[in-house]
Amino acid sequence: MDDELLKRIRRFRTDYFPQYQGQFKELVEQGQHPTILFVGCSDSRLLPYMLTGAGPGELFIVRNVGALVPPYNGLHGLHGTAAAIEYAVLNLHVSHIVVCGHSHCGAMKALYEEISPEAQNLNAWLDLAREAALPVQVTQEALRRTEQRSVVLQLERLMEYPMVRQRVEKRQIALHGWHYVIEEGEIHVFDVKSGKFVPASDAEHSGTGPYHDMDVDSSSIFNEVDSSWYPPC
């Protein structure tokens, strides 16, 4: 059989690596010093390096189904995402944390569907996003709203991590909520003051999270459901 994967990894060595060999050598000798922790969905259409124009050593990336953040209290057991957050903040000293959801997200759609009994881990994992679901039959509009609400929910959950909260309050870390619309090639960034996602092409910033230009005792930023989303009695 034709081994396409073998061809691809060989092409990396011959075509891509030589362009960045010096940069990789420096990253090995001096270590990595990324300033951005990127928490993104595992979806194959979400490409962090392309979206941000980043090169080697610029992003510390953690990806999972739905771009979800597990609670700090460890209720979901051992988890790589929680470990990555702690490592990025405490060891790498990142100054930005991005939570990036996207359009047509299978994880968000699954919140409205029956999940196979065989997918026990997936079912438990999606509990981290259920609060973002709307009390309606799923439509494209409702799904888009759910995707965005989930991003904000994860920003709030990040604030449960003591090391994140302390640095956000001291303005040492900025949180950013993004929703990538695949078919438009546009990232919509969350604006905490308006409680809305704004197209990056029209935005004045790259997204704001808790405490950005706000009093530290501000109430929840979660974009709650308004009455128009509830079915009529």
Side-chain angles (χ1 to χ4, degrees):
M1 290 179 63
D2 195 23
D3 194 333
E4 180 60 30
L5 274 179
L6 179 60
K7 289 180 181 177
R8 292 186 183 194
I9 58 177
R10 283 177 172 172
R11 278 200 297 268
F12 167 77
R13 180 72 176 80
T14 58
D15 299 347
Y16 183 86
F17 181 75
Q19 302 174 52
Y20 296 94
Q21 187 168 1
Q23 195 170 348
F24 281 118
K25 185 174 184 289
E26 185 177 319
L27 286 168
V28 169
E29 293 173 348
Q30 300 183 14
Q32 62 167 332
H33 301 284
T35 59
I36 302 168
L37 167 61
F38 188 100
V39 181
C41 183
S42 299
D43 193 291
S44 61
R45 298 164 294 184
L46 182 68
L47 305 171
Y49 280 99
M50 289 183 68
L51 291 178
T52 61
E58 294 185 44
L59 297 179
F60 190 72
I61 299 174
V62 57
R63 302 182 69 166
N64 60 54
V65 174
L68 306 183
V69 174
Y72 178 73
N73 60 20
L75 289 179
H76 276 66
L78 296 174
H79 199 278
T81 297
I85 292 168
E86 294 174 355
Y87 185 80
V89 173
L90 298 174
N91 294 73
L92 298 177
H93 309 293
V94 296
S95 52
H96 301 270
I97 301 178
V98 173
V99 176
C100 186
H102 63 92
S103 62
H104 310 287
C105 181
M108 298 302 107
K109 192 168 183 286
L111 295 174
Y112 298 93
E113 299 173 343
E114 260 192 64
I115 297 174
S116 168
E118 293 180 277
Q120 295 181 23
N121 292 289
L122 175 61
N123 194 38
W125 179 246
L126 291 177
D127 286 346
L128 298 177
R130 295 198 194 283
E131 191 179 341
L134 295 159
V136 296
Q137 292 294 317
V138 67
T139 62
Q140 286 304 314
E141 183 184 4
L143 185 57
R144 181 73 56 92
R145 178 77 181 274
T146 303
E147 292 160 352
Q148 294 179 344
R149 282 166 53 82
S150 179
V151 168
V152 179
L153 183 60
Q154 310 318 312
L155 291 179
E156 288 202 325
R157 196 170 287 121
L158 275 169
M159 293 297 287
E160 298 173 6
Y161 287 69
M163 72 291 299
V164 174
R165 174 176 283 276
Q166 291 165 8
R167 287 161 178 77
V168 169
E169 290 179 351
K170 292 178 181 177
R171 309 306 201 265
Q172 295 172 347
I173 285 181
L175 303 186
H176 308 266
W178 292 358
H179 180 254
Y180 171 47
V181 183
I182 298 170
E183 62 272 32
E184 297 174 3
E186 179 84 273
I187 291 176
H188 293 237
V189 301
F190 181 66
D191 177 32
V192 72
K193 288 187 174 180
S194 66
K196 297 179 180 178
F197 281 79
V198 182
S201 54
D202 299 326
E204 297 179 352
H205 51 68
S206 58
T208 52
Y211 300 118
H212 185 94
D213 296 330
M214 297 180 71
D215 295 332
V216 295
D217 60 351
S218 296
S219 59
S220 170
I221 64 168
F222 188 52
N223 198 11
E224 295 294 348
V225 182
D226 59 63
S227 60
S228 66
W229 286 94
Y230 286 92
C233 297

